[in-house]
Amino acid sequence: MPLVIGIPAEVAAGEKRVATVPEVVEKLIKLGFAVAVERGAGAGANCGDDAYRAAGAEVVDGAAALWSRADVVFKVRAPSLDELGLMRDGTTLVAFVWPAQNPDLLQRLAAKRATVLAMDSVPRISRAQKLDALSSMANIAGYRAVIEAAHAFGRFFTGQITAAGKVPPAKVFVIGAGVAGLAAIGTASGLGAIVRANDTRPEVADQVVSMGGEFVAVDYQEEGAGVGGYAKVMSEGFQKAQRATFAQQAKDVDIIITTALIPGKPAPRLITAEMVQSMKPGSVIVDMAAEQGGNCELTEPGRVVVKHGVTIIGYTDLPSRLAKQASTLYANNLLRLTEELCKTKDGVLDVNMDDEVIRGTTVIKDGTITWPPPAPKLSAAPPAAASPKPAKPAEKPKGHGHGGGEPPSARRTAVMFAIAAVAFWFIGASAPAAFLSHLTVFVLACFVGYMVVWNVTPALHTPLMSVTNAISSIIAIGALVQVAPPLMTGAADRPATWILGLAVVSIALTTINMFGGFAVTRRMLEMFRR
């Protein structure tokens, strides 16, 4: 019998997301699983029971029936105490668990001999990006934060000049340039606002600029990158300089969006009551860290409040406010995880603790708590500190002359130049004059092309190379020269058949190269246009 994946309705207040959607149900069934969905589980995400049935899922009445049938349970939020009472011993649970914040929940799940994979614990490594549900939800939350801010702001984001007067653009300040922050920057910039952003990691400045924002640096030098790509807790000196920067921005901007969170820790307080009081009346703060206490001192989690004339939005369900989109992306993350757990496509899960991704995601294995996972392996870990050994003075090679002989690299260079000189002399002595002129142009073209590419910013190498590929297809002219005379003159000087054939093939290939080069360049440049 195949394992049954159960999809219960979420019981958390206001939660509209569902752990899978009908489009993904079909793919889970192809992996060998049976899928059972609680009646009405997808109603909040516009996924009806009939759509689940059409995809091959069984629709079950009531949470008790669903939990009793499921061997594997896919959820969005961690199970409640009532749901834990319905869970069978030995069940595999996949959900957002937040093990650092919920130690009691871990103990209760371990008592059920469960195997638990926490989607909030997926390692932040390249191979695990397709499973990264945190990034998926943060992307949606960042977008929705700007929409909520625009709704509460009561003015255009973009500047306008009309017969009725001039409307200045809104000024938006985003604190934190992770996935959520970059999504907010891109959305606000797309709506026409002037966007500024700050992050403790200075290396994200280029990403902020690429999304249409301006990076606001703190006048204090300190490395801000922590484990797994997250920010770290900064020193008191940095925090003091940071507060001064934020206070200055609060007086000038119309909207502040805060995204600062460090996994396993309360949200840092970055916006003080004094900063809120200094903001212009009608300004808006969207505190995306409200669920963990908030980045603003005056935030009330789950509520919208007005303090000192400033609207402070503390919603804790931003992804749920785009339930259909959020459910689809989360369902795809769960599908990719299931593919990693069931590589044989036989409906059996293999929680392989030797796999770095699976090990990092698994917080309980067969009733044994395995969280926290071991530190991720570094591909290029620095060698262990050791007492430095004094370097031996380099010995001069024995030889003749003032310097005791040339080093091998210089000798090789001299030999290569000598060989090249002989080769050029031979070509100049025996080759026709026309060939020499072509060779000179070829060598100069190689040198100029190399120097041009060498002096271009590395970030532009890919669009540059796609254009140069198209331009270099001037070889098509040579092919046309071979094809054109027979077509135009009839021709007594028709080239050999094999030459004509190669010319036709060359024209076809260079046409593809030219079209593809310009098409790729156009698509890449569109990414940076507003």
Side-chain angles (χ1 to χ4, degrees):
M1 290 291 291
L3 293 179
V4 177
I5 296 177
I7 313 297
E10 297 295 324
V11 297
E15 183 57 71
K16 298 179 181 179
R17 290 173 291 178
V18 64
T20 198
V21 295
E23 297 83 2
V24 173
V25 166
E26 298 175 355
K27 298 173 183 177
L28 292 173
I29 292 174
K30 288 180 180 178
L31 290 176
F33 298 96
V35 180
V37 181
E38 183 180 349
R39 184 180 300 280
N46 298 320
C47 297
D49 295 335
D50 291 340
Y52 283 112
R53 287 194 190 92
E58 177 187 1
V59 177
V60 178
D61 286 323
L66 185 284
W67 284 87
S68 65
R69 278 187 49 76
D71 303 297
V72 183
V73 175
F74 285 176
K75 273 183 58 61
V76 177
R77 292 185 178 263
S80 65
L81 292 178
D82 291 338
E83 289 176 316
L84 284 175
L86 300 175
M87 179 188 289
R88 293 163 39 193
D89 288 357
T91 298
T92 297
L93 172 69
V94 185
F96 284 108
V97 178
W98 306 106
Q101 290 93 333
N102 296 303
D104 292 342
L105 176 63
L106 287 189
Q107 294 296 336
R108 293 175 185 274
L109 288 168
K112 288 279 188 177
R113 301 196 303 275
T115 294
V116 180
L117 291 94
M119 295 305 291
D120 46 271
S121 298
V122 173
R124 286 289 180 93
I125 59 177
S126 298
R127 189 166 67 87
Q129 285 183 350
K130 60 185 177 181
L131 320 178
D132 193 356
L134 277 178
S135 292
S136 298
M137 299 302 104
N139 184 32
I140 293 173
Y143 171 86
R144 184 69 189 198
V146 176
I147 301 304
E148 295 290 347
H151 175 69
F153 184 46
R155 228 180 67 201
F156 291 143
F157 263 44
T158 187
Q160 290 190 4
I161 299 177
T162 70
K166 180 180 178 181
V167 180
K171 296 179 182 178
V172 179
F173 183 50
V174 179
I175 299 177
V179 176
L182 291 174
I185 293 167
T187 306
S189 178
L191 290 174
I194 296 173
V195 185
R196 304 166 188 163
N198 170 268
D199 196 281
T200 58
R201 300 159 292 182
E203 60 270 18
V204 305
D206 289 340
Q207 299 175 34
V208 170
V209 173
S210 72
M211 297 300 292
E214 173 193 349
F215 187 76
V216 177
V218 174
D219 189 16
Y220 194 98
Q221 295 297 321
E222 182 177 345
E223 174 57 47
V227 178
Y230 293 99
K232 70 173 186 179
V233 178
M234 307 300 286
S235 67
E236 180 57 37
F238 181 92
Q239 293 180 32
K240 183 178 179 181
Q242 187 184 53
R243 285 193 292 270
T245 301
F246 292 171
Q248 182 181 5
Q249 291 296 321
K251 296 175 183 178
D252 185 46
V253 300
D254 303 298
I255 295 169
I256 295 178
I257 297 176
T258 69
T259 71
L261 273 178
I262 298 173
K265 297 182 180 294
R269 292 297 172 89
L270 304 177
I271 304 298
T272 64
E274 291 77 12
M275 294 181 196
V276 175
Q277 192 170 1
S278 71
M279 295 181 72
K280 292 175 283 190
S283 298
V284 179
I285 295 175
V286 182
D287 194 339
M288 295 180 61
E291 193 166 8
Q292 302 300 325
N295 295 138
C296 176
E297 284 185 349
L298 302 181
T299 297
E300 296 185 18
R303 298 185 58 197
V304 177
V305 296
V306 179
K307 301 287 182 70
H308 306 296
V310 177
T311 301
I312 304 173
I313 300 174
Y315 291 143
T316 58
D317 60 346
L318 288 172
S320 183
R321 289 170 179 266
L322 290 171
K324 176 64 174 180
Q325 185 72 75
S327 298
T328 300
L329 295 183
Y330 184 63
N332 284 324
N333 292 139
L334 293 182
L335 172 65
R336 301 309 172 200
L337 175 62
T338 307
E339 290 173 343
E340 292 292 317
L341 295 170
C342 184
K343 294 182 178 179
T344 55
K345 299 182 180 181
D346 58 358
V348 178
L349 295 182
D350 176 23
V351 183
N352 179 14
M353 300 296 274
D354 293 328
D355 186 305
E356 184 179 11
V357 174
I358 302 303
R359 174 64 187 88
T361 307
T362 305
V363 296
I364 300 177
K365 174 72 183 298
D366 297 328
T368 301
I369 296 176
T370 60
W371 188 87
K377 298 177 182 178
L378 299 178
S379 57
S387 57
K389 297 181 180 179
K392 294 182 179 179
E395 296 181 1
K396 293 183 178 180
K398 296 180 180 180
H400 303 286
H402 298 290
E406 295 175 347
S409 58
R411 189 178 299 118
R412 282 197 299 268
T413 303
V415 171
M416 290 175 59
F417 270 104
I419 294 173
V422 171
F424 276 111
W425 174 85
F426 178 78
I427 294 172
S430 57
F435 176 80
L436 290 178
S437 64
H438 291 318
L439 178 63
T440 303
V441 172
F442 174 74
V443 172
L444 289 174
C446 290
F447 175 75
V448 172
Y450 173 79
M451 294 306 295
V452 167
V453 174
W454 182 263
N455 288 288
V456 169
T457 302
L460 296 178
H461 277 176
T462 301
L464 172 69
M465 292 309 295
S466 60
V467 170
T468 53
N469 281 343
I471 296 174
S472 68
S473 296
I474 197 168
I475 193 173
I477 296 176
L480 289 172
V481 168
Q482 296 297 324
V483 173
L487 296 178
M488 297 177 65
T489 63
D493 56 347
R494 178 187 297 272
T497 304
W498 65 273
I499 294 178
L500 281 174
L502 287 177
V504 172
V505 172
S506 299
I507 292 172
L509 293 178
T510 52
T511 300
I512 295 172
N513 194 32
M514 293 169 69
F515 175 81
F518 285 118
V520 169
T521 302
R522 185 172 180 273
R523 289 188 62 183
M524 294 194 68
L525 294 180
E526 284 292 336
M527 296 170 60
F528 299 96
R529 292 195 183 119
R530 290 176 57 182

PDB file of all heavy atoms in Angstrom, residues 488-502:
ATOM      1  N   MET A 488      23.946  34.568 -58.856  1.00  0.00           N
ATOM      2  CA  MET A 488      23.788  35.817 -59.598  1.00  0.00           C
ATOM      3  C   MET A 488      24.316  35.725 -61.032  1.00  0.00           C
ATOM      4  O   MET A 488      23.777  36.338 -61.944  1.00  0.00           O
ATOM      5  CB  MET A 488      24.519  36.956 -58.867  1.00  0.00           C
ATOM      6  CG  MET A 488      23.951  37.248 -57.481  1.00  0.00           C
ATOM      7  SD  MET A 488      24.892  38.520 -56.615  1.00  0.00           S
ATOM      8  CE  MET A 488      24.559  39.910 -57.684  1.00  0.00           C
ATOM      9  N   THR A 489      25.344  34.929 -61.242  1.00  0.00           N
ATOM     10  CA  THR A 489      25.975  34.913 -62.567  1.00  0.00           C
ATOM     11  C   THR A 489      25.726  33.629 -63.333  1.00  0.00           C
ATOM     12  O   THR A 489      26.059  33.529 -64.507  1.00  0.00           O
ATOM     13  CB  THR A 489      27.494  35.103 -62.424  1.00  0.00           C
ATOM     14  OG1 THR A 489      28.050  34.010 -61.688  1.00  0.00           O
ATOM     15  CG2 THR A 489      27.805  36.403 -61.693  1.00  0.00           C
ATOM     16  N   GLY A 490      25.296  32.701 -62.708  1.00  0.00           N
ATOM     17  CA  GLY A 490      24.999  31.430 -63.373  1.00  0.00           C
ATOM     18  C   GLY A 490      26.015  30.383 -63.276  1.00  0.00           C
ATOM     19  O   GLY A 490      25.810  29.273 -63.023  1.00  0.00           O
ATOM     20  N   ALA A 491      26.960  30.197 -63.164  1.00  0.00           N
ATOM     21  CA  ALA A 491      28.240  30.751 -63.127  1.00  0.00           C
ATOM     22  C   ALA A 491      29.308  29.803 -63.516  1.00  0.00           C
ATOM     23  O   ALA A 491      29.337  28.688 -63.062  1.00  0.00           O
ATOM     24  CB  ALA A 491      28.571  31.295 -61.791  1.00  0.00           C
ATOM     25  N   ALA A 492      30.203  30.425 -64.280  1.00  0.00           N
ATOM     26  CA  ALA A 492      31.323  29.637 -64.778  1.00  0.00           C
ATOM     27  C   ALA A 492      32.307  29.353 -63.646  1.00  0.00           C
ATOM     28  O   ALA A 492      33.002  28.343 -63.651  1.00  0.00           O
ATOM     29  CB  ALA A 492      32.012  30.396 -65.900  1.00  0.00           C
ATOM     30  N   ASP A 493      32.365  30.286 -62.692  1.00  0.00           N
ATOM     31  CA  ASP A 493      33.317  30.115 -61.586  1.00  0.00           C
ATOM     32  C   ASP A 493      32.641  29.532 -60.344  1.00  0.00           C
ATOM     33  O   ASP A 493      32.935  29.902 -59.223  1.00  0.00           O
ATOM     34  CB  ASP A 493      33.949  31.461 -61.234  1.00  0.00           C
ATOM     35  CG  ASP A 493      32.889  32.517 -60.907  1.00  0.00           C
ATOM     36  OD1 ASP A 493      31.703  32.276 -61.193  1.00  0.00           O
ATOM     37  OD2 ASP A 493      33.271  33.574 -60.354  1.00  0.00           O
ATOM     38  N   ARG A 494      31.695  28.625 -60.573  1.00  0.00           N
ATOM     39  CA  ARG A 494      30.981  27.992 -59.446  1.00  0.00           C
ATOM     40  C   ARG A 494      31.977  27.233 -58.576  1.00  0.00           C
ATOM     41  O   ARG A 494      32.763  26.422 -59.087  1.00  0.00           O
ATOM     42  CB  ARG A 494      29.930  27.032 -59.991  1.00  0.00           C
ATOM     43  CG  ARG A 494      29.163  26.288 -58.890  1.00  0.00           C
ATOM     44  CD  ARG A 494      28.253  25.230 -59.503  1.00  0.00           C
ATOM     45  NE  ARG A 494      27.245  25.834 -60.341  1.00  0.00           N
ATOM     46  CZ  ARG A 494      26.066  26.248 -59.891  1.00  0.00           C
ATOM     47  NH1 ARG A 494      25.784  26.128 -58.602  1.00  0.00           N
ATOM     48  NH2 ARG A 494      25.199  26.788 -60.699  1.00  0.00           N
ATOM     49  N   PRO A 495      31.953  27.468 -57.235  1.00  0.00           N
ATOM     50  CA  PRO A 495      32.857  26.716 -56.351  1.00  0.00           C
ATOM     51  C   PRO A 495      32.427  25.261 -56.243  1.00  0.00           C
ATOM     52  O   PRO A 495      31.335  24.875 -56.684  1.00  0.00           O
ATOM     53  CB  PRO A 495      32.710  27.449 -55.016  1.00  0.00           C
ATOM     54  CG  PRO A 495      31.369  28.085 -55.072  1.00  0.00           C
ATOM     55  CD  PRO A 495      31.144  28.446 -56.512  1.00  0.00           C
ATOM     56  N   ALA A 496      33.287  24.482 -55.639  1.00  0.00           N
ATOM     57  CA  ALA A 496      32.987  23.064 -55.485  1.00  0.00           C
ATOM     58  C   ALA A 496      31.715  22.863 -54.664  1.00  0.00           C
ATOM     59  O   ALA A 496      31.351  23.698 -53.837  1.00  0.00           O
ATOM     60  CB  ALA A 496      34.164  22.372 -54.803  1.00  0.00           C
ATOM     61  N   THR A 497      31.052  21.734 -54.900  1.00  0.00           N
ATOM     62  CA  THR A 497      29.780  21.455 -54.219  1.00  0.00           C
ATOM     63  C   THR A 497      29.943  21.441 -52.709  1.00  0.00           C
ATOM     64  O   THR A 497      29.090  21.955 -51.967  1.00  0.00           O
ATOM     65  CB  THR A 497      29.219  20.111 -54.696  1.00  0.00           C
ATOM     66  OG1 THR A 497      29.092  20.139 -56.117  1.00  0.00           O
ATOM     67  CG2 THR A 497      27.873  19.830 -54.050  1.00  0.00           C
ATOM     68  N   TRP A 498      31.040  20.861 -52.235  1.00  0.00           N
ATOM     69  CA  TRP A 498      31.212  20.775 -50.775  1.00  0.00           C
ATOM     70  C   TRP A 498      31.416  22.154 -50.154  1.00  0.00           C
ATOM     71  O   TRP A 498      31.015  22.396 -49.015  1.00  0.00           O
ATOM     72  CB  TRP A 498      32.371  19.839 -50.427  1.00  0.00           C
ATOM     73  CG  TRP A 498      33.729  20.308 -50.881  1.00  0.00           C
ATOM     74  CD1 TRP A 498      34.318  20.104 -52.092  1.00  0.00           C
ATOM     75  CD2 TRP A 498      34.651  21.073 -50.097  1.00  0.00           C
ATOM     76  NE1 TRP A 498      35.556  20.689 -52.138  1.00  0.00           N
ATOM     77  CE2 TRP A 498      35.794  21.278 -50.919  1.00  0.00           C
ATOM     78  CE3 TRP A 498      34.638  21.598 -48.802  1.00  0.00           C
ATOM     79  CZ2 TRP A 498      36.893  22.004 -50.466  1.00  0.00           C
ATOM     80  CZ3 TRP A 498      35.736  22.289 -48.355  1.00  0.00           C
ATOM     81  CH2 TRP A 498      36.854  22.499 -49.186  1.00  0.00           C
ATOM     82  N   ILE A 499      32.026  23.079 -50.918  1.00  0.00           N
ATOM     83  CA  ILE A 499      32.184  24.445 -50.407  1.00  0.00           C
ATOM     84  C   ILE A 499      30.821  25.130 -50.306  1.00  0.00           C
ATOM     85  O   ILE A 499      30.507  25.817 -49.327  1.00  0.00           O
ATOM     86  CB  ILE A 499      33.136  25.241 -51.320  1.00  0.00           C
ATOM     87  CG1 ILE A 499      34.545  24.660 -51.245  1.00  0.00           C
ATOM     88  CG2 ILE A 499      33.144  26.716 -50.924  1.00  0.00           C
ATOM     89  CD1 ILE A 499      35.543  25.349 -52.142  1.00  0.00           C
ATOM     90  N   LEU A 500      29.985  24.932 -51.342  1.00  0.00           N
ATOM     91  CA  LEU A 500      28.628  25.490 -51.284  1.00  0.00           C
ATOM     92  C   LEU A 500      27.841  24.938 -50.097  1.00  0.00           C
ATOM     93  O   LEU A 500      27.129  25.660 -49.399  1.00  0.00           O
ATOM     94  CB  LEU A 500      27.886  25.202 -52.587  1.00  0.00           C
ATOM     95  CG  LEU A 500      28.217  26.100 -53.785  1.00  0.00           C
ATOM     96  CD1 LEU A 500      27.510  25.579 -55.030  1.00  0.00           C
ATOM     97  CD2 LEU A 500      27.818  27.527 -53.500  1.00  0.00           C
ATOM     98  N   GLY A 501      27.990  23.646 -49.881  1.00  0.00           N
ATOM     99  CA  GLY A 501      27.277  23.026 -48.763  1.00  0.00           C
ATOM    100  C   GLY A 501      27.704  23.596 -47.414  1.00  0.00           C
ATOM    101  O   GLY A 501      26.869  23.910 -46.561  1.00  0.00           O
ATOM    102  N   LEU A 502      29.032  23.746 -47.240  1.00  0.00           N
ATOM    103  CA  LEU A 502      29.519  24.324 -45.990  1.00  0.00           C
ATOM    104  C   LEU A 502      29.045  25.765 -45.821  1.00  0.00           C
ATOM    105  O   LEU A 502      28.723  26.210 -44.704  1.00  0.00           O
ATOM    106  CB  LEU A 502      31.046  24.276 -45.965  1.00  0.00           C
ATOM    107  CG  LEU A 502      31.684  22.897 -45.754  1.00  0.00           C
ATOM    108  CD1 LEU A 502      33.204  23.000 -45.837  1.00  0.00           C
ATOM    109  CD2 LEU A 502      31.274  22.308 -44.405  1.00  0.00           C
TER     110      LEU A 502
END
